[in-house]
Amino acid sequence: FKQKTAYEIYQCDWSSDVCSSDLVVAPQLTLTQNGPRRRYLGRPATYTLTVANPGTAAATAVTVVNYLPQAIQFISASDGGRFDPAQGTVTWTLGNLGAGQTASVEVTGMPRKPGEARNFARAIAARDLKADSEFMTLVEGVAAILLEVVDIEDPIEVGAETSYEIRVINQGSKVATNVRITASVPQQFTILDATGPTDYRIEGDKIVFEPIPRLGPRADTAFRVYVSGQAAGDVRFRVHLATDQMVDPVLEEESTRIYSDQ
């Protein structure tokens, strides 16, 4: 016989060198996946599984099983998918799938740790039909930096002192590296001092702190800049933050009123 979408069985009369064929119909199964190639920790990932029958007869008792990676925690499944926490699997019982028909189901999970997550799925049906599929997702952490700037005394009189607290918080799931802080001090102030986890230098009206090599997930640190008001005005103290992970720096400012009784 010759195998195509179905089977063609050839019967030949060797005396006349003439052959005839009968078509035998048969089901087939294919399984494909679609999902995110990259996901950050804390961002759900949804996989779409599509089972198809390109054959010429109905596939019966079609079942799809998805084996979630250990790095991804189950959230939900469409179309009545049943989750087995012991096995980490989601199972759909789809019934019959006619010739040329397709069916799609979805499973959503939450990445729990960085690395390559291999989502494996299998479709099975009667007549020992089987089709496998896998999809690889790269799970990464992300450094999400929050910058806060507050003045400790506001307003202040000319000649009085105040200070600014600069807090840097890594709200993400990945280490932030080479954390750099630069403070721009208004001309109405005189710089008195600065403190923080790293040394600093003064460049004109700017205070440049040495970089923090690493700021871990959920970690925070603080800087303090001490100034004295020399002229009245409504001034803006500005802070510039950059890390290796940032495409654009973060800018934050705090307003302070300096007044005179004259």
Side-chain angles (χ1 to χ4, degrees), residues 166 181 194-196 198-200 207-211 223-225:
I166 305 166
I181 289 288
T195 60
T198 59
D199 293 334
Y200 73 93
I207 298 178
V208 181
F209 290 91
E210 293 299 317
F223 303 80
R224 186 70 70 94
V225 174

Side-chain angles (χ1 to χ4, degrees), residues 53-157:
N53 175 11
T56 55
T60 58
V62 178
T63 300
V64 175
V65 182
N66 189 93
Y67 299 80
L68 277 172
Q70 291 185 348
I72 296 183
Q73 182 178 7
F74 172 78
I75 295 178
S76 64
S78 70
D79 302 276
R82 303 183 306 278
F83 176 61
D84 182 348
Q87 301 296 324
T89 59
V90 182
T91 303
W92 293 266
T93 302
L94 302 182
N96 296 342
L97 191 63
Q101 290 186 343
T102 64
S104 295
V105 294
E106 290 186 348
V107 58
T108 300
M110 182 68 73
R112 297 185 296 181
K113 62 180 180 180
E116 290 186 339
R118 172 178 168 270
N119 190 65
F120 177 79
R122 170 169 290 174
I124 58 175
R127 297 189 180 185
D128 295 325
L129 293 179
K130 181 179 72 173
D132 293 340
S133 175
E134 69 177 34
F135 194 95
M136 194 71 70
T137 299
L138 178 62
V139 179
E140 297 183 331
V142 59
I145 302 298
L146 173 66
L147 175 64
E148 296 179 340
V149 181
V150 296
D151 51 5
I152 304 305
E153 297 291 338
D154 181 18
I156 63 170
E157 190 175 359

Side-chain angles (χ1 to χ4, degrees), residues 145 147 180 239-243 245-252:
I145 302 298
L147 175 64
R180 306 178 297 280
V239 177
H240 176 285
L241 165 68
T243 72
Q245 289 70 37
M246 289 180 177
V247 176
D248 298 310
V250 174
L251 301 176
E252 188 69 31

Side-chain angles (χ1 to χ4, degrees), residues 140-217:
E140 297 183 331
V142 59
I145 302 298
L146 173 66
L147 175 64
E148 296 179 340
V149 181
V150 296
D151 51 5
I152 304 305
E153 297 291 338
D154 181 18
I156 63 170
E157 190 175 359
V158 171
E161 299 178 4
T162 188
S163 63
Y164 292 89
E165 183 179 73
I166 305 166
R167 295 195 66 83
V168 181
I169 306 168
N170 184 357
Q171 296 179 308
S173 54
K174 183 178 181 180
V175 172
T177 58
N178 198 23
V179 181
R180 306 178 297 280
I181 289 288
T182 300
S184 297
V185 180
Q187 62 182 1
Q188 291 89 343
F189 282 132
T190 295
I191 300 172
L192 301 177
D193 195 9
T195 60
T198 59
D199 293 334
Y200 73 93
R201 64 184 184 274
I202 298 176
E203 297 180 355
D205 63 348
K206 291 181 171 58
I207 298 178
V208 181
F209 290 91
E210 293 299 317
I212 300 174
R214 295 168 58 89
L215 186 64

